Amino acid sequence: MNNKRKLAVFDMDGTLFDTAEVNYCSYAEAAGQLGYKLDREKFLEIFVGKNYKEFLPEFGIIQSAELHKIHELKKEYYPKFLGKVKKNEALFELIESIKKDYIIALATTASRKNVLDILAFFDLESKFDFMITQEDTSKLKPDPECYIRAMEKAGVSASKTIIFEDSEVGIKAARESGGYVVKVSM
């Protein structure tokens, strides 16, 4: 990572991008394929920062095979709704202004496929030195694993790391990693 000794880590959903609508539309279409209907307001109220295994049971979807199938379908439908994503322009301007001095990482427990879909849609793949996604971790937020892995990969200590997060579970994970935390709201 060159000679940079500082790390800036950015969460994706709700931080770099407002993805509430794309997630709702993708999950609603996927759940509909299995005969379930997701109430939009309830979904938007309960899904933030949570894994699908936590919020889908709130809609009566409890069988493990159905949960997994809906999640897999959701990833397939996600690109169809990318026009509903809103980019956090201010954070991307910040990234541009600090990239000379900081290693820039994206760390999320979202799937790599969805991360790559969004970054490609906005042509932002080159903005990050590396990324940590769901596939790179064994524990989801509020566990700090994704942030600790980012620090390890960058070879940077927690005292030289700043983490940008939006959700309560993400902020808890960021704090427990030992890095400095900036709460973001869009």
Side-chain angles (χ1 to χ4, degrees):
M1 305 289 151
N2 306 327
N3 3 350
K4 299 175 188 174
R5 299 270 183 233
K6 297 184 278 188
L7 173 64
V9 186
F10 296 84
D11 171 55
M12 189 180 78
D13 292 312
T15 302
L16 288 170
F17 302 97
D18 178 347
T19 57
E21 285 298 323
V22 69
N23 276 298
Y24 168 71
C25 292
S26 302
Y27 272 114
E29 187 156 328
Q33 292 294 312
L34 275 74
Y36 294 97
K37 181 166 174 35
L38 303 185
D39 177 76
R40 182 180 176 279
E41 297 308 314
K42 183 177 180 181
F43 179 90
L44 295 175
E45 183 181 310
I46 66 172
F47 99 100
V48 175
K50 294 182 182 167
N51 181 267
Y52 70 97
K53 293 175 186 173
E54 294 176 69
F55 68 80
L56 285 177
E58 296 286 327
F59 298 97
I61 308 164
I62 56 173
Q63 292 185 15
S64 182
E66 287 185 328
L67 289 169
H68 181 71
K69 178 69 173 170
I70 289 170
H71 183 64
E72 291 304 308
L73 286 170
K74 174 258 184 185
K75 289 190 281 187
E76 286 180 35
Y77 296 141
Y78 202 81
K80 176 178 171 181
F81 298 106
L82 285 172
K84 297 183 179 292
V85 174
K86 295 177 189 141
K87 177 181 162 191
N88 186 333
E89 297 289 348
L91 271 189
F92 280 98
E93 288 175 19
L94 177 69
I95 288 170
E96 282 301 309
S97 70
I98 67 172
K99 70 180 182 181
K100 183 175 119 285
D101 299 314
Y102 282 80
I103 298 166
I104 306 296
L106 187 154
T108 178
T109 50
S111 71
R112 182 169 296 272
K113 180 185 182 326
N114 288 160
V115 171
L116 294 174
D117 286 343
I118 286 179
L119 293 178
F121 183 81
F122 286 98
D123 193 25
L124 295 169
E125 302 97 319
S126 65
K127 297 293 180 197
F128 302 94
D129 293 307
F130 67 89
M131 66 179 76
I132 303 291
T133 65
Q134 181 182 79
E135 292 79 0
D136 301 311
T137 61
S138 61
K139 299 173 189 152
L140 302 175
K141 295 173 191 173
D143 190 280
E145 182 186 13
C146 69
Y147 294 120
I148 292 168
R149 286 193 184 264
M151 291 176 211
E152 290 170 350
K153 184 165 184 158
V156 174
S157 69
S159 66
K160 300 284 186 184
T161 300
I162 187 165
I163 302 167
F164 295 82
E165 252 296 354
D166 70 303
S167 69
E168 289 308 312
V169 295
I171 290 168
K172 184 176 190 295
R175 284 191 179 128
E176 288 183 15
S177 77
Y180 292 97
V181 182
V182 175
K183 182 175 182 177
V184 175
S185 40
M186 290 186 70

PDB file of all heavy atoms in Angstrom, residues 145-182:
ATOM      1  N   GLU A 145     -14.922  -7.632  13.024  1.00  0.00           N
ATOM      2  CA  GLU A 145     -14.018  -8.386  12.157  1.00  0.00           C
ATOM      3  C   GLU A 145     -13.696  -7.687  10.838  1.00  0.00           C
ATOM      4  O   GLU A 145     -12.535  -7.647  10.417  1.00  0.00           O
ATOM      5  CB  GLU A 145     -14.572  -9.786  11.874  1.00  0.00           C
ATOM      6  CG  GLU A 145     -13.630 -10.602  11.015  1.00  0.00           C
ATOM      7  CD  GLU A 145     -14.185 -11.954  10.591  1.00  0.00           C
ATOM      8  OE1 GLU A 145     -15.406 -12.201  10.745  1.00  0.00           O
ATOM      9  OE2 GLU A 145     -13.384 -12.767  10.086  1.00  0.00           O
ATOM     10  N   CYS A 146     -14.693  -7.131  10.146  1.00  0.00           N
ATOM     11  CA  CYS A 146     -14.410  -6.527   8.832  1.00  0.00           C
ATOM     12  C   CYS A 146     -13.440  -5.355   8.958  1.00  0.00           C
ATOM     13  O   CYS A 146     -12.577  -5.161   8.099  1.00  0.00           O
ATOM     14  CB  CYS A 146     -15.688  -6.136   8.099  1.00  0.00           C
ATOM     15  SG  CYS A 146     -16.617  -4.767   8.805  1.00  0.00           S
ATOM     16  N   TYR A 147     -13.544  -4.597  10.045  1.00  0.00           N
ATOM     17  CA  TYR A 147     -12.641  -3.456  10.231  1.00  0.00           C
ATOM     18  C   TYR A 147     -11.254  -3.908  10.666  1.00  0.00           C
ATOM     19  O   TYR A 147     -10.245  -3.350  10.224  1.00  0.00           O
ATOM     20  CB  TYR A 147     -13.255  -2.457  11.217  1.00  0.00           C
ATOM     21  CG  TYR A 147     -14.497  -1.839  10.625  1.00  0.00           C
ATOM     22  CD1 TYR A 147     -15.731  -1.958  11.239  1.00  0.00           C
ATOM     23  CD2 TYR A 147     -14.432  -1.171   9.405  1.00  0.00           C
ATOM     24  CE1 TYR A 147     -16.862  -1.425  10.664  1.00  0.00           C
ATOM     25  CE2 TYR A 147     -15.562  -0.632   8.821  1.00  0.00           C
ATOM     26  CZ  TYR A 147     -16.767  -0.756   9.451  1.00  0.00           C
ATOM     27  OH  TYR A 147     -17.893  -0.226   8.873  1.00  0.00           O
ATOM     28  N   ILE A 148     -11.203  -4.913  11.505  1.00  0.00           N
ATOM     29  CA  ILE A 148      -9.908  -5.456  11.926  1.00  0.00           C
ATOM     30  C   ILE A 148      -9.177  -6.058  10.725  1.00  0.00           C
ATOM     31  O   ILE A 148      -7.973  -5.848  10.537  1.00  0.00           O
ATOM     32  CB  ILE A 148     -10.096  -6.479  13.067  1.00  0.00           C
ATOM     33  CG1 ILE A 148     -10.576  -5.738  14.328  1.00  0.00           C
ATOM     34  CG2 ILE A 148      -8.811  -7.253  13.324  1.00  0.00           C
ATOM     35  CD1 ILE A 148     -11.070  -6.639  15.440  1.00  0.00           C
ATOM     36  N   ARG A 149      -9.903  -6.760   9.874  1.00  0.00           N
ATOM     37  CA  ARG A 149      -9.288  -7.327   8.659  1.00  0.00           C
ATOM     38  C   ARG A 149      -8.746  -6.225   7.747  1.00  0.00           C
ATOM     39  O   ARG A 149      -7.690  -6.385   7.125  1.00  0.00           O
ATOM     40  CB  ARG A 149     -10.280  -8.203   7.910  1.00  0.00           C
ATOM     41  CG  ARG A 149     -10.517  -9.530   8.598  1.00  0.00           C
ATOM     42  CD  ARG A 149     -11.248 -10.487   7.657  1.00  0.00           C
ATOM     43  NE  ARG A 149     -11.553 -11.704   8.352  1.00  0.00           N
ATOM     44  CZ  ARG A 149     -10.807 -12.796   8.292  1.00  0.00           C
ATOM     45  NH1 ARG A 149      -9.717 -12.820   7.558  1.00  0.00           N
ATOM     46  NH2 ARG A 149     -11.153 -13.885   8.959  1.00  0.00           N
ATOM     47  N   ALA A 150      -9.486  -5.118   7.644  1.00  0.00           N
ATOM     48  CA  ALA A 150      -9.017  -3.995   6.817  1.00  0.00           C
ATOM     49  C   ALA A 150      -7.703  -3.437   7.368  1.00  0.00           C
ATOM     50  O   ALA A 150      -6.764  -3.180   6.607  1.00  0.00           O
ATOM     51  CB  ALA A 150     -10.085  -2.908   6.751  1.00  0.00           C
ATOM     52  N   MET A 151      -7.632  -3.290   8.691  1.00  0.00           N
ATOM     53  CA  MET A 151      -6.400  -2.787   9.310  1.00  0.00           C
ATOM     54  C   MET A 151      -5.241  -3.750   9.076  1.00  0.00           C
ATOM     55  O   MET A 151      -4.123  -3.326   8.741  1.00  0.00           O
ATOM     56  CB  MET A 151      -6.616  -2.577  10.809  1.00  0.00           C
ATOM     57  CG  MET A 151      -7.551  -1.445  11.145  1.00  0.00           C
ATOM     58  SD  MET A 151      -7.812  -1.381  12.943  1.00  0.00           S
ATOM     59  CE  MET A 151      -9.483  -0.737  13.000  1.00  0.00           C
ATOM     60  N   GLU A 152      -5.514  -5.046   9.223  1.00  0.00           N
ATOM     61  CA  GLU A 152      -4.473  -6.050   8.995  1.00  0.00           C
ATOM     62  C   GLU A 152      -3.989  -6.029   7.547  1.00  0.00           C
ATOM     63  O   GLU A 152      -2.787  -6.053   7.279  1.00  0.00           O
ATOM     64  CB  GLU A 152      -4.996  -7.445   9.351  1.00  0.00           C
ATOM     65  CG  GLU A 152      -5.213  -7.650  10.834  1.00  0.00           C
ATOM     66  CD  GLU A 152      -5.962  -8.932  11.177  1.00  0.00           C
ATOM     67  OE1 GLU A 152      -6.504  -9.609  10.260  1.00  0.00           O
ATOM     68  OE2 GLU A 152      -6.024  -9.246  12.374  1.00  0.00           O
ATOM     69  N   LYS A 153      -4.932  -5.961   6.617  1.00  0.00           N
ATOM     70  CA  LYS A 153      -4.565  -5.963   5.192  1.00  0.00           C
ATOM     71  C   LYS A 153      -3.735  -4.731   4.835  1.00  0.00           C
ATOM     72  O   LYS A 153      -2.788  -4.817   4.047  1.00  0.00           O
ATOM     73  CB  LYS A 153      -5.817  -6.045   4.324  1.00  0.00           C
ATOM     74  CG  LYS A 153      -5.501  -6.143   2.848  1.00  0.00           C
ATOM     75  CD  LYS A 153      -6.675  -6.572   2.027  1.00  0.00           C
ATOM     76  CE  LYS A 153      -6.244  -6.735   0.588  1.00  0.00           C
ATOM     77  NZ  LYS A 153      -7.107  -7.593  -0.171  1.00  0.00           N
ATOM     78  N   ALA A 154      -4.089  -3.593   5.436  1.00  0.00           N
ATOM     79  CA  ALA A 154      -3.366  -2.352   5.159  1.00  0.00           C
ATOM     80  C   ALA A 154      -2.059  -2.271   5.944  1.00  0.00           C
ATOM     81  O   ALA A 154      -1.193  -1.449   5.609  1.00  0.00           O
ATOM     82  CB  ALA A 154      -4.242  -1.152   5.493  1.00  0.00           C
ATOM     83  N   GLY A 155      -1.926  -3.088   6.984  1.00  0.00           N
ATOM     84  CA  GLY A 155      -0.745  -3.012   7.835  1.00  0.00           C
ATOM     85  C   GLY A 155      -0.713  -1.729   8.650  1.00  0.00           C
ATOM     86  O   GLY A 155       0.345  -1.149   8.890  1.00  0.00           O
ATOM     87  N   VAL A 156      -1.909  -1.284   9.065  1.00  0.00           N
ATOM     88  CA  VAL A 156      -2.050  -0.019   9.790  1.00  0.00           C
ATOM     89  C   VAL A 156      -2.712  -0.291  11.136  1.00  0.00           C
ATOM     90  O   VAL A 156      -3.665  -1.068  11.221  1.00  0.00           O
ATOM     91  CB  VAL A 156      -2.890   0.990   8.960  1.00  0.00           C
ATOM     92  CG1 VAL A 156      -3.187   2.249   9.745  1.00  0.00           C
ATOM     93  CG2 VAL A 156      -2.181   1.324   7.653  1.00  0.00           C
ATOM     94  N   SER A 157      -2.234   0.361  12.176  1.00  0.00           N
ATOM     95  CA  SER A 157      -2.803   0.172  13.517  1.00  0.00           C
ATOM     96  C   SER A 157      -4.141   0.891  13.651  1.00  0.00           C
ATOM     97  O   SER A 157      -4.457   1.810  12.879  1.00  0.00           O
ATOM     98  CB  SER A 157      -1.842   0.696  14.574  1.00  0.00           C
ATOM     99  OG  SER A 157      -1.770   2.111  14.494  1.00  0.00           O
ATOM    100  N   ALA A 158      -4.902   0.486  14.652  1.00  0.00           N
ATOM    101  CA  ALA A 158      -6.193   1.120  14.932  1.00  0.00           C
ATOM    102  C   ALA A 158      -6.016   2.611  15.223  1.00  0.00           C
ATOM    103  O   ALA A 158      -6.863   3.427  14.849  1.00  0.00           O
ATOM    104  CB  ALA A 158      -6.879   0.420  16.103  1.00  0.00           C
ATOM    105  N   SER A 159      -4.912   2.978  15.851  1.00  0.00           N
ATOM    106  CA  SER A 159      -4.690   4.390  16.207  1.00  0.00           C
ATOM    107  C   SER A 159      -4.448   5.270  14.979  1.00  0.00           C
ATOM    108  O   SER A 159      -4.502   6.493  15.074  1.00  0.00           O
ATOM    109  CB  SER A 159      -3.519   4.518  17.180  1.00  0.00           C
ATOM    110  OG  SER A 159      -2.312   4.140  16.552  1.00  0.00           O
ATOM    111  N   LYS A 160      -4.216   4.648  13.824  1.00  0.00           N
ATOM    112  CA  LYS A 160      -3.994   5.393  12.572  1.00  0.00           C
ATOM    113  C   LYS A 160      -5.120   5.137  11.573  1.00  0.00           C
ATOM    114  O   LYS A 160      -4.967   5.334  10.375  1.00  0.00           O
ATOM    115  CB  LYS A 160      -2.659   4.979  11.935  1.00  0.00           C
ATOM    116  CG  LYS A 160      -1.462   5.232  12.806  1.00  0.00           C
ATOM    117  CD  LYS A 160      -1.118   6.690  12.827  1.00  0.00           C
ATOM    118  CE  LYS A 160       0.181   6.884  13.605  1.00  0.00           C
ATOM    119  NZ  LYS A 160       0.536   8.257  13.743  1.00  0.00           N
ATOM    120  N   THR A 161      -6.271   4.666  12.105  1.00  0.00           N
ATOM    121  CA  THR A 161      -7.408   4.302  11.248  1.00  0.00           C
ATOM    122  C   THR A 161      -8.621   5.144  11.597  1.00  0.00           C
ATOM    123  O   THR A 161      -8.964   5.314  12.766  1.00  0.00           O
ATOM    124  CB  THR A 161      -7.760   2.811  11.432  1.00  0.00           C
ATOM    125  OG1 THR A 161      -6.616   2.020  11.068  1.00  0.00           O
ATOM    126  CG2 THR A 161      -8.945   2.411  10.570  1.00  0.00           C
ATOM    127  N   ILE A 162      -9.289   5.637  10.569  1.00  0.00           N
ATOM    128  CA  ILE A 162     -10.558   6.345  10.736  1.00  0.00           C
ATOM    129  C   ILE A 162     -11.619   5.581   9.949  1.00  0.00           C
ATOM    130  O   ILE A 162     -11.371   5.173   8.803  1.00  0.00           O
ATOM    131  CB  ILE A 162     -10.452   7.828  10.310  1.00  0.00           C
ATOM    132  CG1 ILE A 162     -11.739   8.565  10.658  1.00  0.00           C
ATOM    133  CG2 ILE A 162     -10.088   7.968   8.845  1.00  0.00           C
ATOM    134  CD1 ILE A 162     -11.599  10.081  10.600  1.00  0.00           C
ATOM    135  N   ILE A 163     -12.758   5.355  10.575  1.00  0.00           N
ATOM    136  CA  ILE A 163     -13.823   4.543   9.982  1.00  0.00           C
ATOM    137  C   ILE A 163     -15.083   5.389   9.846  1.00  0.00           C
ATOM    138  O   ILE A 163     -15.511   6.027  10.802  1.00  0.00           O
ATOM    139  CB  ILE A 163     -14.109   3.302  10.855  1.00  0.00           C
ATOM    140  CG1 ILE A 163     -12.840   2.457  11.008  1.00  0.00           C
ATOM    141  CG2 ILE A 163     -15.262   2.483  10.265  1.00  0.00           C
ATOM    142  CD1 ILE A 163     -12.933   1.393  12.088  1.00  0.00           C
ATOM    143  N   PHE A 164     -15.677   5.343   8.666  1.00  0.00           N
ATOM    144  CA  PHE A 164     -16.898   6.080   8.385  1.00  0.00           C
ATOM    145  C   PHE A 164     -18.053   5.085   8.351  1.00  0.00           C
ATOM    146  O   PHE A 164     -18.044   4.151   7.552  1.00  0.00           O
ATOM    147  CB  PHE A 164     -16.779   6.809   7.047  1.00  0.00           C
ATOM    148  CG  PHE A 164     -15.717   7.874   7.058  1.00  0.00           C
ATOM    149  CD1 PHE A 164     -14.376   7.558   6.857  1.00  0.00           C
ATOM    150  CD2 PHE A 164     -16.052   9.195   7.297  1.00  0.00           C
ATOM    151  CE1 PHE A 164     -13.390   8.529   6.886  1.00  0.00           C
ATOM    152  CE2 PHE A 164     -15.071  10.180   7.325  1.00  0.00           C
ATOM    153  CZ  PHE A 164     -13.738   9.847   7.125  1.00  0.00           C
ATOM    154  N   GLU A 165     -19.054   5.299   9.198  1.00  0.00           N
ATOM    155  CA  GLU A 165     -20.180   4.367   9.379  1.00  0.00           C
ATOM    156  C   GLU A 165     -21.471   5.135   9.578  1.00  0.00           C
ATOM    157  O   GLU A 165     -21.467   6.297   9.966  1.00  0.00           O
ATOM    158  CB  GLU A 165     -19.944   3.504  10.624  1.00  0.00           C
ATOM    159  CG  GLU A 165     -19.594   2.074  10.379  1.00  0.00           C
ATOM    160  CD  GLU A 165     -20.645   1.216   9.702  1.00  0.00           C
ATOM    161  OE1 GLU A 165     -21.794   1.665   9.477  1.00  0.00           O
ATOM    162  OE2 GLU A 165     -20.330   0.069   9.387  1.00  0.00           O
ATOM    163  N   ASP A 166     -22.597   4.440   9.353  1.00  0.00           N
ATOM    164  CA  ASP A 166     -23.896   5.085   9.553  1.00  0.00           C
ATOM    165  C   ASP A 166     -24.793   4.389  10.565  1.00  0.00           C
ATOM    166  O   ASP A 166     -25.484   5.030  11.334  1.00  0.00           O
ATOM    167  CB  ASP A 166     -24.650   5.181   8.224  1.00  0.00           C
ATOM    168  CG  ASP A 166     -25.109   3.815   7.743  1.00  0.00           C
ATOM    169  OD1 ASP A 166     -24.264   2.925   7.583  1.00  0.00           O
ATOM    170  OD2 ASP A 166     -26.321   3.628   7.530  1.00  0.00           O
ATOM    171  N   SER A 167     -24.823   3.056  10.579  1.00  0.00           N
ATOM    172  CA  SER A 167     -25.801   2.326  11.397  1.00  0.00           C
ATOM    173  C   SER A 167     -25.266   2.069  12.804  1.00  0.00           C
ATOM    174  O   SER A 167     -24.054   2.062  13.034  1.00  0.00           O
ATOM    175  CB  SER A 167     -26.156   0.990  10.740  1.00  0.00           C
ATOM    176  OG  SER A 167     -25.045   0.112  10.798  1.00  0.00           O
ATOM    177  N   GLU A 168     -26.169   1.834  13.726  1.00  0.00           N
ATOM    178  CA  GLU A 168     -25.761   1.556  15.106  1.00  0.00           C
ATOM    179  C   GLU A 168     -24.887   0.304  15.193  1.00  0.00           C
ATOM    180  O   GLU A 168     -23.895   0.294  15.903  1.00  0.00           O
ATOM    181  CB  GLU A 168     -26.987   1.429  16.013  1.00  0.00           C
ATOM    182  CG  GLU A 168     -27.702   2.752  16.254  1.00  0.00           C
ATOM    183  CD  GLU A 168     -26.788   3.874  16.732  1.00  0.00           C
ATOM    184  OE1 GLU A 168     -25.992   3.663  17.672  1.00  0.00           O
ATOM    185  OE2 GLU A 168     -26.854   4.979  16.149  1.00  0.00           O
ATOM    186  N   VAL A 169     -25.273  -0.766  14.460  1.00  0.00           N
ATOM    187  CA  VAL A 169     -24.452  -1.984  14.513  1.00  0.00           C
ATOM    188  C   VAL A 169     -23.081  -1.745  13.895  1.00  0.00           C
ATOM    189  O   VAL A 169     -22.074  -2.258  14.367  1.00  0.00           O
ATOM    190  CB  VAL A 169     -25.149  -3.217  13.879  1.00  0.00           C
ATOM    191  CG1 VAL A 169     -26.372  -3.616  14.650  1.00  0.00           C
ATOM    192  CG2 VAL A 169     -25.465  -3.001  12.429  1.00  0.00           C
ATOM    193  N   GLY A 170     -23.025  -0.946  12.842  1.00  0.00           N
ATOM    194  CA  GLY A 170     -21.753  -0.627  12.211  1.00  0.00           C
ATOM    195  C   GLY A 170     -20.877   0.244  13.097  1.00  0.00           C
ATOM    196  O   GLY A 170     -19.663   0.043  13.177  1.00  0.00           O
ATOM    197  N   ILE A 171     -21.489   1.209  13.763  1.00  0.00           N
ATOM    198  CA  ILE A 171     -20.733   2.084  14.667  1.00  0.00           C
ATOM    199  C   ILE A 171     -20.186   1.270  15.835  1.00  0.00           C
ATOM    200  O   ILE A 171     -19.037   1.455  16.248  1.00  0.00           O
ATOM    201  CB  ILE A 171     -21.616   3.257  15.141  1.00  0.00           C
ATOM    202  CG1 ILE A 171     -21.853   4.203  13.948  1.00  0.00           C
ATOM    203  CG2 ILE A 171     -20.988   3.998  16.321  1.00  0.00           C
ATOM    204  CD1 ILE A 171     -22.929   5.238  14.168  1.00  0.00           C
ATOM    205  N   LYS A 172     -20.990   0.346  16.338  1.00  0.00           N
ATOM    206  CA  LYS A 172     -20.525  -0.531  17.426  1.00  0.00           C
ATOM    207  C   LYS A 172     -19.314  -1.344  16.951  1.00  0.00           C
ATOM    208  O   LYS A 172     -18.303  -1.444  17.649  1.00  0.00           O
ATOM    209  CB  LYS A 172     -21.655  -1.455  17.877  1.00  0.00           C
ATOM    210  CG  LYS A 172     -21.309  -2.342  19.059  1.00  0.00           C
ATOM    211  CD  LYS A 172     -22.536  -3.157  19.494  1.00  0.00           C
ATOM    212  CE  LYS A 172     -22.366  -3.884  20.783  1.00  0.00           C
ATOM    213  NZ  LYS A 172     -21.407  -4.918  20.847  1.00  0.00           N
ATOM    214  N   ALA A 173     -19.394  -1.905  15.762  1.00  0.00           N
ATOM    215  CA  ALA A 173     -18.283  -2.683  15.203  1.00  0.00           C
ATOM    216  C   ALA A 173     -17.038  -1.806  15.041  1.00  0.00           C
ATOM    217  O   ALA A 173     -15.927  -2.217  15.397  1.00  0.00           O
ATOM    218  CB  ALA A 173     -18.687  -3.293  13.867  1.00  0.00           C
ATOM    219  N   ALA A 174     -17.231  -0.616  14.506  1.00  0.00           N
ATOM    220  CA  ALA A 174     -16.106   0.295  14.285  1.00  0.00           C
ATOM    221  C   ALA A 174     -15.437   0.669  15.604  1.00  0.00           C
ATOM    222  O   ALA A 174     -14.213   0.646  15.721  1.00  0.00           O
ATOM    223  CB  ALA A 174     -16.589   1.538  13.537  1.00  0.00           C
ATOM    224  N   ARG A 175     -16.253   0.998  16.604  1.00  0.00           N
ATOM    225  CA  ARG A 175     -15.685   1.356  17.919  1.00  0.00           C
ATOM    226  C   ARG A 175     -14.918   0.190  18.517  1.00  0.00           C
ATOM    227  O   ARG A 175     -13.833   0.371  19.071  1.00  0.00           O
ATOM    228  CB  ARG A 175     -16.807   1.788  18.860  1.00  0.00           C
ATOM    229  CG  ARG A 175     -17.305   3.171  18.568  1.00  0.00           C
ATOM    230  CD  ARG A 175     -18.222   3.694  19.657  1.00  0.00           C
ATOM    231  NE  ARG A 175     -18.644   5.040  19.327  1.00  0.00           N
ATOM    232  CZ  ARG A 175     -19.903   5.434  19.305  1.00  0.00           C
ATOM    233  NH1 ARG A 175     -20.873   4.609  19.650  1.00  0.00           N
ATOM    234  NH2 ARG A 175     -20.194   6.677  18.987  1.00  0.00           N
ATOM    235  N   GLU A 176     -15.472  -1.006  18.418  1.00  0.00           N
ATOM    236  CA  GLU A 176     -14.812  -2.179  18.998  1.00  0.00           C
ATOM    237  C   GLU A 176     -13.521  -2.552  18.271  1.00  0.00           C
ATOM    238  O   GLU A 176     -12.678  -3.246  18.825  1.00  0.00           O
ATOM    239  CB  GLU A 176     -15.780  -3.359  19.058  1.00  0.00           C
ATOM    240  CG  GLU A 176     -16.836  -3.175  20.121  1.00  0.00           C
ATOM    241  CD  GLU A 176     -17.770  -4.359  20.269  1.00  0.00           C
ATOM    242  OE1 GLU A 176     -17.466  -5.452  19.750  1.00  0.00           O
ATOM    243  OE2 GLU A 176     -18.823  -4.180  20.915  1.00  0.00           O
ATOM    244  N   SER A 177     -13.350  -2.068  17.046  1.00  0.00           N
ATOM    245  CA  SER A 177     -12.108  -2.336  16.310  1.00  0.00           C
ATOM    246  C   SER A 177     -10.960  -1.495  16.849  1.00  0.00           C
ATOM    247  O   SER A 177      -9.804  -1.788  16.579  1.00  0.00           O
ATOM    248  CB  SER A 177     -12.299  -2.052  14.823  1.00  0.00           C
ATOM    249  OG  SER A 177     -12.276  -0.640  14.585  1.00  0.00           O
ATOM    250  N   GLY A 178     -11.294  -0.429  17.564  1.00  0.00           N
ATOM    251  CA  GLY A 178     -10.269   0.453  18.112  1.00  0.00           C
ATOM    252  C   GLY A 178      -9.963   1.662  17.255  1.00  0.00           C
ATOM    253  O   GLY A 178      -9.220   2.550  17.670  1.00  0.00           O
ATOM    254  N   GLY A 179     -10.520   1.712  16.041  1.00  0.00           N
ATOM    255  CA  GLY A 179     -10.287   2.854  15.165  1.00  0.00           C
ATOM    256  C   GLY A 179     -11.117   4.060  15.584  1.00  0.00           C
ATOM    257  O   GLY A 179     -12.018   3.957  16.411  1.00  0.00           O
ATOM    258  N   TYR A 180     -10.780   5.213  15.013  1.00  0.00           N
ATOM    259  CA  TYR A 180     -11.585   6.409  15.224  1.00  0.00           C
ATOM    260  C   TYR A 180     -12.829   6.280  14.354  1.00  0.00           C
ATOM    261  O   TYR A 180     -12.763   5.746  13.244  1.00  0.00           O
ATOM    262  CB  TYR A 180     -10.806   7.659  14.840  1.00  0.00           C
ATOM    263  CG  TYR A 180      -9.648   7.914  15.778  1.00  0.00           C
ATOM    264  CD1 TYR A 180      -8.367   7.489  15.443  1.00  0.00           C
ATOM    265  CD2 TYR A 180      -9.842   8.535  17.000  1.00  0.00           C
ATOM    266  CE1 TYR A 180      -7.300   7.689  16.302  1.00  0.00           C
ATOM    267  CE2 TYR A 180      -8.786   8.749  17.871  1.00  0.00           C
ATOM    268  CZ  TYR A 180      -7.516   8.320  17.515  1.00  0.00           C
ATOM    269  OH  TYR A 180      -6.470   8.514  18.372  1.00  0.00           O
ATOM    270  N   VAL A 181     -13.961   6.782  14.831  1.00  0.00           N
ATOM    271  CA  VAL A 181     -15.225   6.574  14.141  1.00  0.00           C
ATOM    272  C   VAL A 181     -15.885   7.912  13.817  1.00  0.00           C
ATOM    273  O   VAL A 181     -15.971   8.787  14.678  1.00  0.00           O
ATOM    274  CB  VAL A 181     -16.188   5.713  14.998  1.00  0.00           C
ATOM    275  CG1 VAL A 181     -17.484   5.463  14.235  1.00  0.00           C
ATOM    276  CG2 VAL A 181     -15.532   4.414  15.420  1.00  0.00           C
ATOM    277  N   VAL A 182     -16.349   8.034  12.585  1.00  0.00           N
ATOM    278  CA  VAL A 182     -17.130   9.179  12.158  1.00  0.00           C
ATOM    279  C   VAL A 182     -18.502   8.676  11.754  1.00  0.00           C
ATOM    280  O   VAL A 182     -18.608   7.794  10.889  1.00  0.00           O
ATOM    281  CB  VAL A 182     -16.477   9.910  10.955  1.00  0.00           C
ATOM    282  CG1 VAL A 182     -17.372  11.026  10.449  1.00  0.00           C
ATOM    283  CG2 VAL A 182     -15.090  10.425  11.323  1.00  0.00           C
TER     284      VAL A 182
END
